[in-house]
Amino acid sequence: MSLSDPVRWLLLLLAVALPAGGDTCPEAPLLNDVARESGLEFVHDRGATGGKYNPETMGSGIAWLDYDGDGWLDAYVVQSGPFPPDGSAAAANRLFRNLGDGRFQDVTQSSGSGDRGYGQGVVAADVDGDGFTDLYLANYGADRLLKNRGDGTFEDVTEDSGLGTGGWSSSAALADVDRDGDLDLYLARYLEHIPEEEPFCANPDTGERWYCDPSVFEGESDRFFRNLGDGTFEDATESAGFAAADGKGMGVVMLDLDGDRWTDIYVTNDMTWNFLFINRGDGTFDDLSLLSGAAVSRDGMPEAGMGVAVGDIDGDRDADLAVTNYDVQTNTLYLNDGASRFEDASAGSGFGVPSFNMVGFGLALADFDRDGDLDAFVANGHTVETPARANVHYAQPDQLLLGDGAGHFTLATCLIQPEGPTVSRGIATADYDSDGDTDVAVQRSGARLALMRNEAEAGDWLGLVLHGANGNTDAIGARVELVTDRGIQVLWALAGDSYQSSSDRRLLFGLAEGVVVERVEVFWPSGRRQSALVAPVGRYLHLTEPL
């Protein structure tokens, strides 16, 4: 941390004195856990048996998808399981079908989707362009590609697809990086780890065995796979320019960050600098990580780089980056100038300070209170049961920060139903009940899943469902501008976000009271542009890419 930045020093020193919640507000909770009453019953098993294997600390993710095409979003929940992995039934992932009345039904067995690998991440998208949402599973061990047959069942097509790399995968994302009409895969991978060779690391004060710092291990190299359009992929890691991407990856997003309509890639890394790869438009990428300003903190230091989210935080219509980190570092907000140059605005924005005593993992940017501005939901929880600092705890409260649309946040954790601290990991957002507000599912390490239903009453909303041409049926990578009488809101269609998770691909805009919507502008991944008038609001509008 640099002494040349006294403002940051002062804000961080003040944060040390903040209590775990740190805020008060008179409103009733906005987000309430309804997992038990909805039938979304899931308990994560991290496999901890005393050996202190590092994978036990990582938790897992969740994906929202309409697997059966009935118009309701279903929940796919990743399980980790016993460690070292044994492939037993205790490690099976779970698929919960949304019945459309607020309840879910476990359809894991009938759907054939219960992969038994030691699960980490998941991304949901139509990989083969047949109109049905498939699942790519990032595991510790062999990954899996589950093809949606379209009849309510899945088929493991990993071997035939050319995917399924081994090692330790963390998060995955999909997008059409070469504009050939199908989705390519970037896989963020974490550490080179062999259970039988787990080193002994100890608490310096007590001598008790605890989890090793990631610096003890070499980084596992990321992988990039190009979709050939026939159900198969080729490993294009080296030819595309990712041969040196071995930064201990934990999160990844794929979207246009510099405004040239080509999909770029941003990867968060654990204690090595984050990656920013800019698409040249010829099938290759430039590594602009350090030159961009989004690789390290304002002080020039690499941080823990766990979860990642994108959104127009300051209202200038380009994609800003938000990253969760370890305690003391604070979470980081990188504001985009529109030309792939970023400024660390963590301290002055109010985004970083509330996280000083927290360890952040899952992260989402969405308009939770429907006022037209993006807010932030942060999933917190330490990696060690006995943290070294006395004012830092293993179980920690999740946080909600309300945005003002101009680049500033205010902590409002009291708007989350109080239930005590937890150890949260992956999160995914979705309007699962189709009532026009953003709900969020939260994976807890070694504990039960939470489904935080949004009870927003103020404001209005407009949802967009995009239907892309060719193989990219969900128009992943599309940029949508909502033009109103008070300005322009921007959202991007993504496949893979947060931490090891995959959120609702429908785009949901919140509208403050009295806002008049004029039209939507869609910039399709193919480069086409479409304009559509909107009337009325309070519904999901379906838009199909023109040919």
Side-chain angles (χ1 to χ4, degrees):
M1 186 177 298
S2 172
L3 289 174
S4 63
D5 191 356
V7 173
R8 184 179 177 96
W9 261 107
L10 177 60
L11 290 171
L12 295 184
L13 289 173
L14 288 173
V16 177
L18 286 177
D23 61 332
T24 58
C25 50
E27 295 90 341
L30 182 69
L31 300 171
N32 295 281
D33 186 4
V34 297
R36 283 196 174 108
E37 64 194 70
S38 71
L40 199 59
E41 292 279 4
F42 176 87
V43 177
H44 177 258
D45 177 12
R46 63 191 184 106
T49 57
K52 301 299 180 182
Y53 298 107
N54 274 59
E56 301 166 1
T57 68
M58 304 307 289
S60 60
I62 183 169
W64 289 103
L65 71 157
D66 180 7
Y67 90 98
D68 53 0
D70 65 354
W72 294 96
L73 288 178
D74 313 298
Y76 189 83
V77 190
V78 178
Q79 181 63 281
S80 297
F83 197 89
D86 61 6
S88 65
N93 299 341
R94 304 270 292 280
L95 176 61
F96 295 88
R97 179 172 179 256
N98 190 336
L99 301 179
D101 60 359
R103 296 180 298 119
F104 291 83
Q105 176 187 14
D106 189 334
V107 294
T108 306
Q109 186 171 355
S110 62
S111 67
S113 60
D115 180 63
R116 296 186 178 186
Y118 190 86
Q120 298 285 270
V122 56
V123 59
D126 181 9
V127 173
D128 53 7
D130 64 356
F132 304 108
T133 303
D134 312 300
L135 294 165
Y136 186 86
L137 308 178
N139 292 331
Y140 177 98
D143 294 350
R144 292 284 184 267
L145 175 61
L146 302 184
K147 172 183 169 59
N148 189 334
R149 292 190 178 106
D151 60 0
T153 67
F154 289 83
E155 176 186 3
D156 185 344
V157 296
T158 311
E159 185 174 352
D160 293 339
S161 71
L163 298 173
T165 181
W168 186 349
S169 300
S170 181
S171 294
L174 289 154
D176 183 7
V177 304
D178 48 10
R179 289 191 186 171
D180 65 352
D182 47 43
L183 298 178
D184 310 299
L185 172 71
Y186 191 97
L187 185 59
R189 304 205 298 166
Y190 192 41
L191 306 177
E192 293 184 359
H193 182 273
I194 301 173
E196 296 76 16
E197 299 177 5
E198 185 80 27
F200 182 87
C201 299
N203 184 316
D205 297 323
T206 66
E208 177 186 8
R209 183 168 192 166
W210 66 357
Y211 295 101
C212 293
D213 187 274
S215 62
V216 173
F217 304 91
E218 295 295 323
E220 189 87 71
S221 297
D222 293 353
R223 302 284 287 277
F224 173 71
F225 295 91
R226 195 177 304 279
N227 193 332
L228 300 181
D230 59 359
T232 66
F233 291 76
E234 67 174 0
D235 189 334
T237 307
E238 186 170 352
S239 62
F242 305 120
D246 57 354
K248 304 178 182 179
M250 298 184 75
V252 56
V253 288
M254 301 173 70
L255 75 162
D256 176 18
L257 288 167
D258 60 356
D260 66 355
R261 307 286 175 83
W262 290 92
T263 296
D264 310 306
I265 302 174
Y266 184 74
V267 184
T268 58
N269 293 313
D270 193 359
M271 297 311 298
T272 62
W273 66 65
N274 299 330
F275 296 143
L276 177 60
F277 297 112
I278 297 297
N279 195 332
R280 291 192 182 111
D282 62 358
T284 66
F285 290 77
D286 280 323
D287 183 351
L288 296 186
S289 305
L290 290 173
L291 291 176
S292 71
V296 295
S297 72
R298 182 171 180 170
D299 310 298
M301 300 297 294
E303 298 181 297
M306 297 172 187
V308 58
V310 296
D312 181 11
I313 297 298
D314 52 2
D316 63 357
R317 299 165 60 183
D318 50 37
D320 306 305
L321 296 166
V323 178
T324 52
N325 295 306
Y326 215 65
D327 60 6
V328 179
Q329 295 173 342
T330 83
N331 297 335
T332 307
L333 175 62
Y334 296 105
L335 296 182
N336 189 349
D337 73 350
S340 68
R341 293 186 298 267
F342 293 83
E343 176 189 359
D344 181 348
S346 310
S349 66
F351 182 78
V353 171
S355 65
F356 187 78
N357 289 328
M358 306 292 175
V359 176
F361 277 87
L363 175 64
L365 294 173
D367 186 0
F368 288 98
D369 57 359
R370 290 200 313 211
D371 65 350
D373 305 317
L374 292 181
D375 313 304
F377 186 100
V378 186
N380 296 312
H382 217 287
T383 57
V384 295
E385 294 92 337
T386 54
R389 294 174 57 229
N391 59 343
V392 175
H393 306 283
Y394 180 52
Q396 302 174 353
D398 296 333
Q399 294 174 311
L400 180 65
L401 292 85
L402 299 181
D404 68 354
H408 302 95
F409 290 90
T410 301
L411 183 65
T413 295
C414 54
L415 294 181
I416 303 175
Q417 181 187 46
E419 61 172 327
T422 57
V423 183
S424 298
R425 293 296 185 256
I427 67 172
T429 59
D431 180 14
Y432 81 91
D433 49 6
S434 292
D435 64 352
D437 50 37
T438 301
D439 313 299
V440 57
V442 185
Q443 272 276 45
R444 269 73 183 267
S445 179
R448 69 176 187 86
L449 179 85
L451 176 60
M452 309 302 294
R453 185 176 63 199
N454 194 325
E455 310 289 352
E457 296 180 355
D460 214 324
W461 61 280
L462 177 70
L464 294 179
V465 184
L466 303 181
H467 302 278
N470 301 316
N472 186 2
T473 60
D474 295 312
I476 302 303
R479 166 196 169 98
V480 176
E481 296 185 352
L482 182 70
V483 182
T484 76
D485 63 338
R486 299 187 192 176
I488 298 176
Q489 296 184 47
V490 185
L491 292 176
W492 290 261
L494 305 177
D497 58 356
S498 181
Y499 170 73
Q500 299 183 341
S501 298
S502 189
S503 294
D504 187 352
R505 291 188 308 281
R506 299 175 302 174
L507 303 180
L508 185 59
F509 292 90
L511 301 169
E513 297 287 350
V515 169
V516 177
V517 175
E518 298 174 359
R519 66 184 187 280
V520 293
E521 300 282 347
V522 183
F523 300 85
W524 297 93
S526 62
R528 300 184 183 97
R529 179 173 179 174
Q530 181 182 10
S531 180
L533 298 178
V534 176
V537 296
R539 65 185 178 123
Y540 279 95
L541 174 67
H542 289 253
L543 292 177
T544 300
E545 181 178 6
L547 296 176

